[in-house]
Amino acid sequence: MASSYSPECDPLLKEGIEFFRSKFDCDPTLCAFAPGRVNLIGEHTDYNDGFVLPFALPYRTYLIGSRAVNTTETKIHSKSQEPSVATFEINSNLSMGEPQWADYIKGTIFQYLPEIEAGFAFNAVAVTSVPLGGGLSSSAALEVATATFLEGLLGEKASSVSKVTKALRCQKAEHDFANTPCGIMDQYISAMGSKGNLLLIDCRTNTFESIPFGISASSPMILITNSMVKHKLSGSEYPDRVKQCKEAVKAAQSNFPSVKALRDVTEEMFKTFNDELSDIVYRRAKHAIGEDQRTLAAVTALKAGDYQRVGELMTQSHNSLQVDYEVSCDELDLLVKLALAVPGVYGSRMTGGGFGGCTVTLVDREAIELLEQTLYENYFKQTSKKCVFYRTEPAEGAGFFEFDILSEDMKAPPPPLKPITSPIVTDVPSETYRIPGADSRAPSSSTRPAWIDWVVPVSVMVLVGAVTYLKLRK
């Protein structure tokens, strides 16, 4: 399904078009995009059949390319990953390998083999503004962008694939090709996101309810803060927690046979069997059960415009993730603590899988600059790290468009990108962040007088001519 999203002003897309031309010496025919996501509340509940409340971010992964001609080899270049090139043939022999980032693409393609004819191949480039390793679901964005790209190339052959089916296929791709037993949330919101709305997703039924988020002068803002840390893990932390939750379910079933997942366990039910659990399994279950209740309560508060209550529930969520689920870290805890001390902040919590990444904070619009200033200065003072901010609001989910609908300006090569000089920048477009306290009136290279561009070269030519003339006279 083609998207209503307008790409005309996105410099990243223009960069991607030129990147494709430089690699394949031709113009692309199709572009698919899929956003990253942030979860306002409802963490580590999706694989427990619970509830989550995410929204799609205005940061996207683009897959830009076209069908390959006279070859069965698919080739993809990444702008942000190393090794940067992946080549493979599309068939039932697709498997994990190097480069690892391509496993997300290959895993997604594998799910579409029923719709793909023999010999199908394509050339593409991948560019993204979703921060990598920040807990904003860059992997799901790549999977959903790949699925959407395939749907655009396959046309009618893939027209029966619904958005929910697409999300489920991408989830299976991550299970099978990345060995990550993730829930459905990340792929679901990337595929199903709706501008201006959060989605309350029921991870058992795969249904959702759109929850409007006020976007006006009186409504609060959502600030994402990237801690710029990602602690090295053993690889078992995520599967261990899935296993521990399943242990709690088995204990619940011995008392309540109708229980299928922790989502079915009420707090009153939990009290009747929690002494049968080990301390660690007890705390994992306590978080999952309580988090579902907090998420549903947050939806009720949002509908009532009670942002104070939403903030309280977010902070409670963080405390539970820190103490009971043990997926936070010192840097995230510090960012939350600093944020809660700022007047105008309703609540703050870590978001994503944990062990680094980002926090999400609900804050009054008039307090946003004070919040950024406080976090930036104090976080640097205590950690020697420079955090990055993303002011955000709910954006549209995945889609695709054909390049023949774009303007001539979009088809033209983009201007050279200016070097990034901000000390807090990592891998996001320069317009998505700013240094707190910086003077927005400061002149930049883009405001220099136009005559400089011709006076300097003309002056050089005159000088060279004069030197040559004097030599000839001698």
Side-chain angles (χ1 to χ4, degrees):
M1 178 179 178
S3 170
S4 60
Y5 161 64
S6 174
E8 298 285 335
C9 299
D10 193 334
L12 180 65
L13 178 56
K14 292 184 178 182
E15 178 187 351
I17 294 171
E18 190 60 20
F19 185 43
F20 181 88
R21 288 175 176 142
S22 71
K23 297 301 181 182
F24 298 103
D25 197 29
C26 63
D27 285 338
T29 61
L30 185 78
C31 173
F33 67 88
R37 67 95 186 95
V38 70
N39 194 21
L40 191 70
I41 193 170
E43 215 68 73
H44 288 279
T45 56
D46 52 351
Y47 52 82
N48 288 303
D49 281 1
F51 299 92
V52 292
L53 190 63
F55 62 90
L57 293 170
Y59 309 109
R60 302 176 176 88
T61 291
Y62 289 106
L63 205 63
I64 301 167
S66 58
R67 288 283 296 263
V69 180
N70 298 326
T71 181
T72 59
E73 183 180 78
T74 288
K75 181 176 287 189
I76 305 169
H77 292 264
S78 171
K79 189 76 171 175
S80 56
Q81 300 274 15
E82 290 293 341
S84 62
V85 186
T87 58
F88 51 88
E89 292 197 348
I90 296 175
N91 53 47
S92 59
N93 295 320
L94 277 172
S95 61
M96 298 168 61
E98 293 294 336
Q100 290 185 355
W101 59 266
D103 287 340
Y104 299 100
I105 294 176
K106 290 188 288 185
T108 303
I109 293 172
F110 192 86
Q111 307 307 315
Y112 279 80
L113 287 181
E115 289 83 23
I116 296 174
E117 71 272 16
F120 176 85
F122 63 87
N123 295 319
V125 297
V127 295
T128 188
S129 59
V130 182
L132 304 180
L136 301 180
S137 204
S138 57
S139 60
L142 181 57
E143 292 157 357
V144 176
T146 300
T148 308
F149 183 80
L150 289 172
E151 292 167 6
L153 287 183
L154 295 170
E156 287 298 318
K157 295 177 182 177
S159 60
S160 62
V161 179
S162 69
K163 290 184 177 182
V164 173
T165 299
K166 170 161 59 180
L168 289 169
R169 288 184 175 189
C170 291
Q171 179 196 27
K172 185 163 176 50
E174 189 141 345
H175 287 183
D176 296 348
F177 277 70
N179 289 329
T180 303
C182 63
I184 190 61
M185 175 181 67
D186 295 354
Q187 294 81 5
Y188 199 107
I189 187 62
S190 186
M192 305 282 288
S194 173
K195 185 175 182 180
N197 294 287
L198 297 92
L199 293 190
L200 173 65
I201 303 172
D202 183 330
C203 296
R204 168 171 289 168
T205 64
N206 293 326
T207 56
F208 70 93
E209 178 185 357
S210 293
I211 309 298
F213 183 80
I215 303 176
S216 67
S218 60
S219 61
M221 291 189 70
I222 298 171
L223 180 71
I224 301 170
T225 305
N226 194 333
S227 67
M228 305 309 296
V229 299
K230 189 66 177 176
H231 292 289
K232 187 176 179 65
L233 305 175
S234 67
S236 66
E237 286 81 3
Y238 196 96
D240 282 350
R241 281 158 179 77
V242 175
K243 181 180 178 181
Q244 289 153 2
C245 289
K246 289 181 177 179
E247 286 183 35
V249 170
K250 287 183 180 179
Q253 289 171 337
S254 64
N255 296 271
F256 305 96
S258 63
V259 168
K260 296 179 180 179
L262 287 178
R263 172 249 183 82
D264 301 315
V265 180
T266 65
E267 292 183 357
E268 290 302 315
M269 292 165 62
F270 188 48
K271 291 176 183 177
T272 66
F273 69 90
N274 60 28
D275 58 351
E276 303 172 21
L277 307 175
S278 67
D279 176 65
I280 193 169
V281 171
Y282 164 77
R283 288 187 287 113
R284 303 297 189 252
K286 178 185 174 188
H287 166 76
I289 295 166
E291 189 77 347
D292 273 339
Q293 299 307 310
R294 286 186 288 269
T295 302
L296 295 174
V299 169
T300 300
L302 280 169
K303 290 178 178 179
D306 187 353
Y307 297 115
Q308 191 69 43
R309 178 58 177 157
V310 175
E312 291 172 357
L313 292 163
M314 290 172 62
T315 304
Q316 290 173 18
S317 171
H318 180 81
N319 293 337
S320 179
L321 289 161
Q322 176 189 17
V323 176
D324 291 328
Y325 225 66
E326 297 181 289
V327 291
S328 189
C329 62
D330 291 343
E331 294 87 352
L332 293 176
D333 295 341
L334 175 60
L335 286 171
V336 169
K337 179 181 178 181
L338 292 171
L340 294 175
V342 176
V345 168
Y346 295 105
S348 185
R349 60 183 289 274
M350 60 150 280
T351 187
F355 307 107
C358 297
T359 62
V360 59
T361 302
L362 191 66
V363 57
D364 272 335
R365 289 178 181 267
E366 56 266 28
I368 189 75
E369 293 194 10
L370 175 61
L371 173 61
E372 290 175 341
Q373 187 79 34
T374 300
L375 291 177
Y376 184 76
E377 292 179 355
N378 289 281
Y379 185 70
F380 180 74
K381 186 183 299 182
Q382 297 186 46
T383 68
S384 299
K385 296 180 177 67
K386 298 172 181 177
C387 55
V388 177
F389 305 113
Y390 317 93
R391 298 183 186 184
T392 189
E393 60 188 28
E396 183 180 1
F400 71 84
F401 44 81
E402 297 174 344
F403 280 105
D404 58 7
I405 68 169
L406 299 179
S407 68
E408 291 302 317
D409 177 65
M410 179 64 75
K411 293 176 182 178
L417 295 179
K418 296 175 184 176
I420 297 175
T421 57
S422 166
I424 64 171
V425 175
T426 54
D427 54 358
V428 294
S430 57
E431 64 269 24
T432 66
Y433 61 82
R434 60 181 196 82
I435 302 176
D439 187 353
S440 60
R441 297 168 297 175
S444 68
S445 59
S446 62
T447 59
R448 67 183 184 185
W451 53 264
I452 289 178
D453 291 329
W454 61 266
V455 166
V456 172
V458 169
S459 299
V460 171
M461 292 174 63
V462 170
L463 180 60
V464 170
V467 170
T468 303
Y469 174 73
L470 292 174
K471 287 183 177 179
L472 290 173
R473 288 197 63 184
K474 291 181 178 179

